[in-house]
Amino acid sequence: MISTFHGFAKKLLGARYDRLWKHAIALAAIFAALSSLDRHYEVSLLVFMTAITVFTFGIVLKTLASDDNRRKLKGAFMLPFAPGMFNAAYFYAVALYTLVTKTSYILVFYMAFSSFTAIYIPAFLLSFLNAGLTAFVIFAQMNSGKRITASLLLLIQAALCLLPEPSYRLTGLLISTILQGLVLHRTDSYRFYKVSRMKDNQAAPLRSSSFLRYIVRYLISHKSYLYNTLALCIFAGFMAFMLEQMHLDSCLPLAIAVLSFNTPIGILLSSNRGLHRKIQMLPGQLQRTVVPYGLFILTVNLFIYMIFLVSWLLFHGSVEIVYYVISIVFAAQSAIAAVWLEWKYPVHKWRVESDLWHHPRKYAVPLMMCLLAAAVMSMDAAVYLIALLVGIEVALIFNRRRGIRNV
């Protein structure tokens, strides 16, 4: 069990567990900086437990679904192992990775800004362990084709989050953790191996000069990349309703900028390291890869922005023409910036896809769009200056024939 744990932990945290002390230093620095602000907020224990549960569940589930973990499991299954001990080692490695690199940051924020009493310690541990075990069991059930069982288990966990009293929820989490630990011990280890629908030799289908076809096939085989876009569409309608209720008409440009925060769609090259290297060796990269990818992101952005504007039209009754102009300009600028970052500064130093999805670089494009939105909100003529800038960028792109390296 120990050797299996070390095998997975070194894959997730580095050969010498170097990510442990790096994140420990970062957490200490963040805690010191936040504590120096001398701000205090009352945070309900139930809200704290729900935040830890939901965040941990999503991170663990994403880690289990990572293609890199699938390859690691394939190698581990070639050696003899005891299923119960193997499952425990795998769970502990993923739990340690999630705790150190992800969930601990939420804990630090709560400790810095709220009263962190003794009851928060068992609440955190039970919420974290239960969420991780739930993700493992549900992932195994889904791979077994038992979707109804997985859905019922998810509903039970949702019901636990709705218990009104902390003592009731802590008791429920303790019982759930014990029961799911027993289920995980008896689960077939092969259920954690997710079969890829996309073969490795299909990773760079540029022989037919259709990068859009590759994007469609990749998203079909990695549906989790589409879930964030779907959630963003729902959030667009909700945000339009909230802004209308608060009478914040002037904040529409900022809302449109926030909706450019679509991480998975903007990291399709970074998510496939081999594809990026192969594309760099091909002629006509600009026309065959960069332009289609930019048009794809532009289409997705426009679709989300239109949902927001249509929702605003339904709730508010009218939409000024300038907001349609802003949506088109922002969609184009966001697409150009995302593709340029993906090509010039791809993220290759990641171990599992969860690291890629939470890389700091993902904030670059939304931050830039928020700055542009602030300029538009403070000066009416800014939107036309931004439109001129986007027009110049598009002209430069389509006038080059020697590939993206010269742009």
Coordinates of all heavy atoms in Angstrom, one line a residue, residues 202-239:
Q202 N -5.2 9.8 -32.8 CA -6.1 10.8 -33.4 C -6.0 12.2 -32.8 O -6.8 13.1 -32.9 CB -7.6 10.3 -33.2 CG -7.9 9.1 -34.0 CD -9.3 8.6 -33.7 OE1 -9.9 9.0 -32.7 NE2 -9.9 7.9 -34.6
A203 N -4.9 12.4 -32.0 CA -4.7 13.6 -31.2 C -4.5 14.8 -32.1 O -4.7 15.9 -31.8 CB -3.6 13.5 -30.2
A204 N -3.9 14.6 -33.3 CA -3.6 15.8 -34.2 C -4.2 15.5 -35.6 O -3.5 15.1 -36.5 CB -2.1 16.0 -34.2
P205 N -5.5 15.7 -35.8 CA -6.1 15.3 -37.1 C -6.0 16.4 -38.1 O -7.0 16.8 -38.7 CB -7.6 15.1 -36.7 CG -7.8 16.1 -35.6 CD -6.5 16.2 -34.8
L206 N -4.8 17.0 -38.2 CA -4.6 18.1 -39.2 C -4.3 17.6 -40.6 O -4.1 18.4 -41.5 CB -3.5 19.0 -38.7 CG -3.8 19.7 -37.4 CD1 -2.5 20.5 -37.0 CD2 -4.9 20.7 -37.6
R207 N -4.3 16.3 -40.8 CA -4.1 15.8 -42.2 C -5.2 16.2 -43.1 O -5.0 16.4 -44.3 CB -4.0 14.3 -42.1 CG -2.8 13.7 -41.4 CD -2.9 12.3 -41.1 NE -4.0 12.0 -40.2 CZ -4.3 10.7 -39.8 NH1 -3.7 9.7 -40.3 NH2 -5.3 10.5 -39.0
S208 N -6.4 16.4 -42.5 CA -7.5 16.8 -43.4 C -7.6 18.4 -43.3 O -8.6 18.9 -43.9 CB -8.8 16.2 -42.9 OG -9.0 16.5 -41.6
S209 N -6.7 19.0 -42.7 CA -6.7 20.5 -42.6 C -8.0 21.0 -41.9 O -8.5 22.1 -42.4 CB -6.5 21.1 -44.0 OG -5.3 20.7 -44.5
S210 N -8.5 20.3 -41.0 CA -9.7 20.7 -40.3 C -9.5 20.7 -38.8 O -9.7 19.7 -38.1 CB -10.9 19.8 -40.7 OG -12.1 20.2 -40.0
F211 N -9.0 21.8 -38.3 CA -8.8 21.9 -36.8 C -10.2 22.0 -36.1 O -10.3 21.6 -35.0 CB -8.0 23.2 -36.5 CG -7.5 23.2 -35.1 CD1 -6.6 22.3 -34.6 CD2 -8.0 24.2 -34.2 CE1 -6.1 22.4 -33.3 CE2 -7.6 24.2 -32.9 CZ -6.6 23.3 -32.5
L212 N -11.2 22.6 -36.7 CA -12.5 22.7 -36.1 C -13.1 21.3 -35.9 O -13.7 21.1 -34.9 CB -13.4 23.5 -37.0 CG -13.2 25.0 -37.0 CD1 -14.2 25.7 -38.0 CD2 -13.5 25.6 -35.6
R213 N -12.8 20.4 -36.8 CA -13.3 19.0 -36.6 C -12.6 18.4 -35.4 O -13.2 17.7 -34.6 CB -13.0 18.2 -37.9 CG -13.5 16.8 -37.8 CD -13.1 15.9 -39.0 NE -13.4 16.6 -40.2 CZ -12.9 16.1 -41.4 NH1 -12.2 15.0 -41.5 NH2 -13.3 16.7 -42.5
Y214 N -11.3 18.7 -35.2 CA -10.6 18.2 -34.1 C -11.2 18.7 -32.8 O -11.4 18.0 -31.8 CB -9.1 18.6 -34.1 CG -8.4 18.4 -32.8 CD1 -8.0 17.2 -32.3 CD2 -8.2 19.5 -31.9 CE1 -7.4 17.0 -31.1 CE2 -7.7 19.4 -30.7 CZ -7.2 18.1 -30.3 OH -6.7 18.0 -29.1
I215 N -11.5 20.0 -32.8 CA -12.1 20.6 -31.6 C -13.4 20.0 -31.2 O -13.7 19.7 -30.0 CB -12.3 22.2 -31.8 CG1 -10.9 22.9 -31.9 CG2 -13.1 22.8 -30.6 CD1 -11.0 24.3 -32.2
V216 N -14.3 19.7 -32.2 CA -15.6 19.1 -32.0 C -15.4 17.7 -31.4 O -16.0 17.3 -30.4 CB -16.4 19.1 -33.3 CG1 -17.7 18.3 -33.1 CG2 -16.7 20.5 -33.7
R217 N -14.5 16.9 -32.0 CA -14.3 15.6 -31.5 C -13.7 15.6 -30.1 O -14.0 14.7 -29.3 CB -13.3 14.8 -32.5 CG -14.0 14.5 -33.8 CD -13.3 13.3 -34.5 NE -11.9 13.3 -34.4 CZ -11.1 13.1 -35.4 NH1 -11.6 12.9 -36.6 NH2 -9.8 13.1 -35.3
Y218 N -12.8 16.5 -29.9 CA -12.2 16.6 -28.6 C -13.2 16.9 -27.5 O -13.2 16.3 -26.4 CB -11.0 17.6 -28.6 CG -10.2 17.6 -27.3 CD1 -9.1 16.7 -27.3 CD2 -10.4 18.4 -26.3 CE1 -8.3 16.7 -26.1 CE2 -9.6 18.4 -25.1 CZ -8.5 17.5 -25.1 OH -7.7 17.5 -24.0
L219 N -14.1 17.8 -27.8 CA -15.1 18.2 -26.8 C -16.1 17.1 -26.6 O -16.6 17.0 -25.5 CB -15.7 19.5 -27.2 CG -14.9 20.8 -27.2 CD1 -15.6 22.0 -27.7 CD2 -14.3 21.1 -25.8
I220 N -16.4 16.4 -27.6 CA -17.3 15.3 -27.5 C -16.8 14.2 -26.6 O -17.5 13.6 -25.8 CB -17.7 14.7 -28.9 CG1 -18.6 15.7 -29.6 CG2 -18.5 13.4 -28.7 CD1 -18.9 15.3 -31.1
S221 N -15.5 14.0 -26.7 CA -14.8 12.9 -25.9 C -14.4 13.4 -24.5 O -14.1 12.7 -23.6 CB -13.6 12.4 -26.6 OG -12.6 13.4 -26.8
H222 N -14.4 14.8 -24.3 CA -14.1 15.4 -23.0 C -15.3 16.3 -22.6 O -15.2 17.5 -22.7 CB -12.8 16.1 -23.0 CG -11.6 15.3 -23.3 ND1 -11.3 14.8 -24.6 CD2 -10.6 14.8 -22.5 CE1 -10.2 14.1 -24.5 NE2 -9.8 14.1 -23.3
K223 N -16.4 15.7 -22.3 CA -17.6 16.5 -22.1 C -17.5 17.5 -20.9 O -18.3 18.4 -20.8 CB -18.8 15.6 -21.9 CG -19.2 14.8 -23.1 CD -20.4 14.0 -22.9 CE -20.8 13.2 -24.2 NZ -19.8 12.3 -24.7
S224 N -16.6 17.2 -20.0 CA -16.4 18.1 -18.8 C -16.0 19.5 -19.3 O -16.3 20.5 -18.6 CB -15.3 17.5 -17.9 OG -14.1 17.4 -18.5
Y225 N -15.4 19.6 -20.5 CA -15.0 20.9 -21.0 C -16.3 21.7 -21.4 O -16.2 23.0 -21.4 CB -14.1 20.8 -22.2 CG -12.7 20.4 -21.8 CD1 -12.4 19.2 -21.3 CD2 -11.6 21.3 -22.0 CE1 -11.1 18.8 -21.0 CE2 -10.3 21.0 -21.6 CZ -10.1 19.8 -21.1 OH -8.8 19.4 -20.8
L226 N -17.3 21.0 -21.7 CA -18.6 21.7 -22.1 C -19.4 22.1 -20.9 O -20.3 23.0 -21.0 CB -19.4 20.8 -23.0 CG -18.7 20.5 -24.4 CD1 -19.5 19.5 -25.1 CD2 -18.5 21.7 -25.2
Y227 N -19.2 21.4 -19.7 CA -20.1 21.7 -18.6 C -19.9 23.1 -18.1 O -20.8 23.8 -17.7 CB -19.8 20.7 -17.5 CG -20.1 19.3 -17.8 CD1 -19.5 18.2 -17.2 CD2 -21.1 19.0 -18.7 CE1 -19.8 16.9 -17.5 CE2 -21.4 17.7 -19.1 CZ -20.7 16.6 -18.4 OH -21.0 15.3 -18.8
N228 N -18.6 23.6 -18.1 CA -18.4 25.0 -17.7 C -19.0 26.0 -18.6 O -19.6 27.0 -18.1 CB -16.8 25.2 -17.7 CG -16.5 26.5 -17.0 OD1 -16.5 26.7 -15.8 ND2 -16.2 27.5 -17.8
T229 N -19.1 25.7 -19.9 CA -19.7 26.6 -20.8 C -21.2 26.6 -20.6 O -21.9 27.7 -20.6 CB -19.4 26.2 -22.3 OG1 -18.0 26.2 -22.5 CG2 -20.1 27.1 -23.3
L230 N -21.8 25.4 -20.3 CA -23.2 25.3 -20.0 C -23.5 26.1 -18.7 O -24.5 26.9 -18.6 CB -23.6 23.9 -19.8 CG -25.1 23.6 -19.4 CD1 -26.0 24.2 -20.5 CD2 -25.3 22.1 -19.2
A231 N -22.7 26.0 -17.7 CA -22.9 26.7 -16.4 C -22.8 28.2 -16.6 O -23.5 29.0 -16.0 CB -21.8 26.2 -15.4
L232 N -21.8 28.6 -17.5 CA -21.7 30.0 -17.8 C -22.9 30.6 -18.5 O -23.3 31.7 -18.3 CB -20.4 30.2 -18.7 CG -19.7 31.5 -18.6 CD1 -19.3 31.8 -17.2 CD2 -18.5 31.5 -19.5
C233 N -23.6 29.8 -19.4 CA -24.8 30.2 -20.0 C -25.9 30.4 -19.0 O -26.6 31.4 -19.0 CB -25.2 29.2 -21.0 SG -24.1 29.0 -22.5
I234 N -26.0 29.5 -18.0 CA -27.0 29.7 -17.0 C -26.7 30.9 -16.1 O -27.6 31.7 -15.8 CB -27.1 28.4 -16.1 CG1 -27.5 27.2 -17.0 CG2 -28.0 28.6 -14.9 CD1 -27.4 25.9 -16.3
F235 N -25.4 31.0 -15.8 CA -25.0 32.2 -15.0 C -25.3 33.5 -15.7 O -25.6 34.5 -15.1 CB -23.5 32.1 -14.7 CG -22.9 33.2 -13.9 CD1 -23.3 33.4 -12.6 CD2 -22.1 34.1 -14.5 CE1 -22.8 34.5 -11.9 CE2 -21.5 35.2 -13.8 CZ -21.9 35.4 -12.5
A236 N -25.1 33.5 -17.1 CA -25.4 34.7 -17.8 C -26.8 35.2 -17.6 O -27.1 36.4 -17.4 CB -25.1 34.5 -19.3
G237 N -27.8 34.3 -17.7 CA -29.2 34.6 -17.5 C -29.4 35.1 -16.0 O -30.2 36.1 -15.8
F238 N -28.8 34.4 -15.1 CA -29.0 34.8 -13.7 C -28.4 36.1 -13.4 O -29.0 36.9 -12.7 CB -28.3 33.7 -12.8 CG -28.3 34.0 -11.3 CD1 -29.5 33.9 -10.6 CD2 -27.2 34.5 -10.7 CE1 -29.5 34.2 -9.2 CE2 -27.2 34.8 -9.3 CZ -28.4 34.7 -8.6
M239 N -27.2 36.4 -14.0 CA -26.6 37.7 -13.7 C -27.4 38.8 -14.3 O -27.5 39.9 -13.8 CB -25.2 37.7 -14.3 CG -24.4 39.0 -14.0 SD -22.6 38.8 -14.2 CE -22.5 38.3 -15.9

